[in-house]
Amino acid sequence: NFRVVLGLCFVCVVAVCSCLVGTNKTTVTQKKYSIDDMSLDEKIGQMLFVEYRSGIYTSDLYDAIYKYKPGGFILYSENLWNKNDYFELIRKLNKSSDIPIFIGIDQEGGYMQRLKSLGDVRLTKLKSLEDLGNDDLLYTYLSGKVNGEELATFGINVNFSPVLDISTTSDNEFDFSRSFSISEDEVAEYGKNYILGLNNHSVVSCAKHLPGIGDGTENTHYGSSYILKTKKELEERELVPFKENSKYLDMMMISHDIIPSITGNVPLTLSKDGIDYLKDYLDYDGLIVSDGLRMKALTNYYSTEELLVGAINAGVDVLLASEKM
């Protein structure tokens, strides 16, 4: 069974990439690939977005990239020490896979700017999305453009941004600084300008967290969260920014929230009914990306095999092997 094999393969990749330490041993020459050119194992690998939490790189890391050919590698502060070491990491990652690899990062603005960990590089200090929402649309577009330009300079081609969640008055843990506005229409419009700015430098924008988690009851990093909205309520508010921007996006990240009106009693990540409904309502044919698959909203209740196979069967296209924001 293809989906079971994919799940088990992903377990292996995560296990390998989680315990490795770094320099290059295997290098290959990249060539042009299409889906038709790929083996089943290569197609499986392309669904994986892996992490590696260390600044020390042994040949095992690059051999794992060569063997499993993951579609993407997400950067964290542990990978960002200084400019020279960083560029050497990117060079070796690209040389280790003969299928071009996505390099992704969370570079939203405000406190969520991973690249700031490069201590020997002067980078633009990006406003938080909340601050951009209090500025004008042109400034927001230019902020996205500058962000995209700097990311492209560092060989990064996927930004897990912008957040299209709406600020809320609910008493929960939602971080207002990561949202443009309390208004769904303003989030949609500011989000569009930010996305177009990023796209100006061919950086893929992965908007998050579908369907909008401003009214979620908990933080999914720590446990189950519920969004207690009807379909009509979601369509009138939470889904507005995603629907308005679906035509500009190639990736959307879904949340692990349980949304009884569309997912029953399971997290969205594991709900085929929920994902099918959202793709149909949004008229969206791009990639559905999971949030970090090691978050406790999943791992407290599901085995690794259950959540991996369940996510794939639900229609998740890209599996993010990460637990942090």
Side-chain angles (χ1 to χ4, degrees):
N1 184 300
F2 169 73
R3 295 187 182 278
V4 173
V5 170
L6 176 52
L8 294 176
C9 179
F10 183 62
V11 174
C12 294
V13 174
V14 174
V16 170
C17 289
S18 295
C19 64
L20 301 177
V21 266
T23 64
N24 190 11
K25 183 169 71 176
T26 303
T27 58
V28 294
T29 302
Q30 288 185 349
K31 59 183 179 182
K32 289 186 177 180
Y33 259 87
S34 71
I35 292 295
D36 292 338
D37 295 323
M38 295 182 191
S39 68
L40 176 60
D41 284 348
E42 288 173 334
K43 291 175 184 177
I44 290 170
Q46 289 301 291
M47 293 181 73
L48 313 177
F49 223 111
V50 301
E51 64 173 20
Y52 176 80
R53 299 299 182 94
S54 175
I56 302 171
Y57 309 105
T58 68
S59 59
D60 291 339
L61 169 63
Y62 305 105
D63 287 344
I65 299 295
Y66 172 74
K67 179 177 181 180
Y68 294 107
K69 296 180 175 59
F73 185 94
I74 183 169
L75 296 163
Y76 287 100
S77 57
E78 293 92 334
N79 309 120
L80 302 168
W81 291 94
N82 61 69
K83 181 177 67 175
N84 290 337
D85 289 348
Y86 168 77
F87 278 118
E88 182 69 2
L89 168 65
I90 298 302
R91 184 186 72 81
K92 289 180 177 179
L93 286 174
N94 282 310
K95 288 187 70 176
S96 295
S97 178
D98 53 357
I99 303 175
I101 188 170
F102 278 120
I103 305 296
I105 198 168
D106 292 298
Q107 188 77 354
E108 298 173 11
Y111 73 85
M112 186 63 73
Q113 297 183 62
R114 303 286 188 203
L115 275 181
K116 287 196 303 185
S117 297
L118 285 173
D120 60 346
V121 178
R122 173 175 283 186
L123 296 166
T124 302
K125 185 177 180 180
L126 301 169
K127 287 186 176 182
S128 70
L129 300 191
E130 180 184 32
D131 287 338
L132 288 178
N134 291 320
D135 214 310
D136 60 44
L137 293 172
L138 176 59
Y139 189 90
T140 301
Y141 169 79
L142 293 175
S143 293
K145 186 176 179 181
V146 167
N147 193 358
E149 182 176 13
E150 292 185 342
L151 292 174
T153 298
F154 283 89
I156 296 167
N157 45 31
V158 174
N159 190 9
F160 294 103
S161 182
V163 171
L164 293 183
D165 305 327
I166 302 165
S167 290
T168 177
T169 56
S170 298
D171 184 19
N172 62 11
E173 297 186 20
F174 184 75
D175 185 347
F176 282 62
S177 73
R178 297 178 72 198
S179 172
F180 289 109
S181 175
I182 197 168
S183 160
E184 62 271 19
D185 294 326
E186 288 186 356
V187 172
E189 191 64 18
Y190 278 87
K192 179 180 79 171
N193 281 270
Y194 189 89
I195 291 164
L196 292 177
L198 279 174
N199 290 351
N200 195 269
H201 289 281
S202 299
V203 174
V204 177
S205 177
C206 181
K208 55 192 183 186
H209 307 81
L210 185 66
I213 62 173
D215 276 326
T217 58
E218 300 290 342
N219 185 327
T220 53
H221 289 82
Y222 310 121
S224 291
S225 176
Y226 290 81
I227 297 174
L228 302 174
K229 296 286 188 81
T230 65
K231 282 185 180 180
K232 183 178 180 182
E233 287 172 327
L234 290 170
E235 291 168 3
E236 290 177 345
R237 182 161 167 79
E238 276 77 9
L239 289 173
V240 170
F242 294 96
K243 189 171 181 65
E244 291 295 315
N245 287 293
S246 62
K247 58 182 172 291
Y248 306 118
L249 292 165
D250 294 309
M251 292 185 180
M252 289 191 195
M253 179 183 288
I254 59 170
S255 78
H256 298 319
D257 290 79
I258 297 170
I259 312 158
S261 63
I262 64 172
T263 73
N265 62 354
V266 300
L268 175 57
T269 314
L270 306 179
S271 171
K272 187 176 190 310
D273 287 343
I275 291 175
D276 284 349
Y277 157 72
L278 290 170
K279 293 184 75 171
D280 181 64
Y281 177 73
L282 299 175
D283 191 25
Y284 176 68
D285 61 0
L287 296 176
I288 294 292
V289 182
S290 78
D291 206 340
L293 287 175
R294 298 183 204 167
M295 292 183 185
K296 291 183 178 179
L298 295 181
T299 58
N300 280 355
Y301 309 100
Y302 300 92
S303 69
T304 301
E305 290 80 3
E306 286 173 334
L307 71 89
L308 292 170
V309 175
I312 295 161
N313 283 329
V316 176
D317 300 301
V318 178
L319 304 167
L320 183 58
S322 169
E323 63 183 346
K324 290 188 179 180
M325 290 186 291

